[in-house]
Amino acid sequence: MRSIRWLAVVPFLALLVGPFFVNQPTPLILGLPFLLAWIVVWILITSLIMAVIYAVDPANREEGA
Amino acid sequence: MNGALPFIAAAALLALVLGFLARRGKDMNLEEWTVGGRGFGAIFVFLLLAGEIYTTFTFLGGSGYAYGKGAPAYYILAYGTLAYVLSYFMLPPIWRYAKEHRLYSQSDFFVRKYDSPALGVLVALVDIVALIPYLVLQFKGLGIIVDIAGYGAISPTVAIWIGAIIVAAYVMVSGVHGSAWTSVAKDTMILAIVIFLGLYLPLHYYGGLGPMFTAIEQAKPGFTVLPAHGESLWWYASTVLLTALGFFMWPHSFGSIYTAKNATVIRKNAIFLPLYQLILLFVFFVGFAATLQVPGLTGSNIDLALFKLSVKTFDPWFVGVIGATGIFTALVPGSMILMTAATLIANNLYRAVNPSADDRQVSYLAKLLVPLVALVAVFFTLKGGETIVALLLMGYSFVTQLFPSLILSLAHRNFATREGAAAGIIVGVATVATVSLTGMNFHKLAWLPSAIQDLNIGIVALVANFIVLIVVSLATRAAAAPAQAAAE
């Protein structure tokens, strides 16, 4: 299951490359300009991705508390 | 006496009390003082690592950036997030190695990995040259905050002296424990204040976030997206990548990894730190709200946007509360920088020339150095001219030069040699200095495509660093191979 670690590449694509496709002020999402909303949403997804990686990673069980 | 002063005084006092209390029940040997006895749990490690996000630079500079430049400020959100993703993979091996070898500083790490005290001296020097201006920046911010939030009752000079004395005192007594305890107060306050300001100000002046951003786009078309030239998409992507790589190369951030009691603590934090970053979003909201409300700030004055708008909006007592929060954003990172710099000088410079020094002597010296380093920083804050400003701009790029040799040293078989690592760092740092001091950038090369012109010039230094590292490592390996064969 170590291959799940490759998920960590996704935030890099989303936050480095993504803006090239969403660099626009509208539509506003929850009041935020579209580019800013994109970044914020991806920060939330990044946190989720890290949670998934953490949950699956056997290293966190080996070492215990 | 005005309504703001009691809160500002209370913040200073609270920092001092918490900073001293943090010592309780601890025998302050070097390991306890500088890396918290490697016993910090998730919360303290979280706060120390997050301490990097909320310095005066972000409190004043983050809102100022959004106020003055708009969308380019978003880069701050993105680089931190990516740095935390990297942290999941990069920091646990660093932590484990540091624990096995009982390391105290970032420089120690290089000494051990490359088996070279000389490389440790080089790294310590790069660190110190980057740290002192960073401390100066905190003191400068502190002066500005107390001046404005105190309605001019306390001069910046007095504020800087008092702040420096407080922080030096509690760092001497409690070391990293002092930073950890005061960061609890700091993060609680900043969380409450920044979220409140970020929601209230847009609501109060515009009727909400949506109307605010619509009004801004109407008044300044293109302000909420990255511009086509200058701080463009290419600038954004290259800057985010560079700063994400350099993030944990700051020696005080690197050192806070050592405080963790296990690697799981660090990995768990990689889930929550990106979320915590979102508080910066509210700092940006304040800056955006100020754009149309307190227009006209230019140059370095854009950093005053948050306080100018607060003074315009609120009663003095509440401005005092905001100022009190601001003081903590200066003192807590200041304390970590101060402790790290003192540890580096005592542990990696003094010990390099006097290898027989034991931990007790080094610990004693490090504590003695704290007020001295603070004094130097105060001097530069009050007297420093252009040089210190130049160093400030270079600091981040300097520490980023440690990244290539650090990341290679984590591999099972490290390809880089100590000569390669040293040469790479020297060339990288020299390139940063040359580029910064001559004001060089890709825009001067008009024949380049505009995408490349906008790239962060720091890339050049990092690439040069990497190439030299590889070439010199190959050369020293080739030279060493026959000798090794002969020895066998």
Side-chain angles (χ1 to χ4, degrees), chain B residues 133 136 140 379-392:
Chain B
V136 168
K140 269 205 164 88
F379 174 81
F380 278 122
T381 312
L382 300 178
K383 301 273 178 222
E386 288 303 303
T387 331
I388 203 75
V389 178
L391 281 175
L392 268 179

Side-chain angles (χ1 to χ4, degrees), chain B residues 186-240:
Chain B
K186 171 193 148 217
D187 282 64
T188 312
M189 284 164 76
I190 200 137
L191 210 69
I193 288 292
V194 166
I195 292 179
F196 169 74
L197 290 179
L199 292 178
Y200 176 78
L201 291 171
L203 194 68
H204 178 71
Y205 284 107
Y206 304 88
L209 287 172
M212 175 175 83
F213 282 113
T214 306
I216 291 173
E217 257 316 298
Q218 253 162 18
K220 302 175 154 194
F223 198 67
T224 60
V225 293
L226 293 164
H229 297 289
E231 294 189 329
S232 66
L233 281 157
W234 290 98
W235 166 86
Y236 161 90
S238 57
T239 305
V240 168

Side-chain angles (χ1 to χ4, degrees), chain A residues 5 8 11-12 15-16 19-20 23-25 28 31-33 35-36 39-40 43-44 46-47 50-51 53-54 57 59-60 63-65, chain B residues 74 81-82 85-86 88-89 96 209-210 213-214 217 224-226 233-234 236-237 240 262-264 267-268 270-271 274-275 278 281 285:
Chain A
R5 289 181 157 212
F12 281 83
L15 288 170
L16 290 174
F20 284 83
N23 191 25
Q24 52 193 69
L28 295 178
L32 301 183
L35 173 61
L36 182 56
I39 293 173
V40 169
I43 291 174
L44 297 173
T46 299
S47 178
M50 296 321 290
I53 293 176
Y54 180 89
D57 194 343
N60 296 311
E63 286 175 27
Chain B
Y74 304 165
T81 305
L82 295 183
V85 173
L86 283 177
Y88 185 95
F89 307 99
R96 202 170 305 120
L209 287 172
F213 282 113
T214 306
E217 257 316 298
T224 60
V225 293
L226 293 164
L233 281 157
W234 290 98
Y236 161 90
V240 168
N262 58 44
T264 309
R267 280 189 288 256
K268 197 181 284 167
I271 305 172
L275 290 182
L278 285 176
L281 188 60
F285 291 163

Side-chain angles (χ1 to χ4, degrees), chain A residues 3-61:
Chain A
S3 54
I4 196 120
R5 289 181 157 212
W6 286 100
L7 265 183
V9 176
V10 177
F12 281 83
L13 293 176
L15 288 170
L16 290 174
V17 183
F20 284 83
F21 303 95
V22 295
N23 191 25
Q24 52 193 69
T26 51
L28 295 178
I29 310 285
L30 293 172
L32 301 183
F34 197 68
L35 173 61
L36 182 56
W38 170 269
I39 293 173
V40 169
V41 166
W42 271 101
I43 291 174
L44 297 173
I45 298 174
T46 299
S47 178
L48 268 179
I49 289 176
M50 296 321 290
V52 170
I53 293 176
Y54 180 89
V56 176
D57 194 343
N60 296 311
R61 283 189 291 273

Side-chain angles (χ1 to χ4, degrees), chain B residues 59-72:
Chain B
F59 199 57
L60 300 176
S63 54
Y65 216 115
Y67 168 93
K69 300 182 175 175

Side-chain angles (χ1 to χ4, degrees), chain B residues 273-325:
Chain B
L273 281 164
L275 290 182
Y276 200 63
Q277 277 245 112
L278 285 176
I279 298 163
L280 276 174
L281 188 60
F282 296 89
V283 175
F284 293 161
F285 291 163
V286 175
F288 278 116
T291 312
L292 301 180
Q293 295 306 321
V294 286
L297 301 173
T298 53
S300 62
N301 280 336
I302 59 174
D303 292 348
L304 305 180
L306 184 146
F307 275 101
K308 289 282 183 202
L309 184 59
S310 300
V311 168
K312 176 181 168 177
T313 313
F314 300 110
D315 288 339
W317 72 266
F318 192 69
V319 175
V321 174
I322 302 170
T325 311

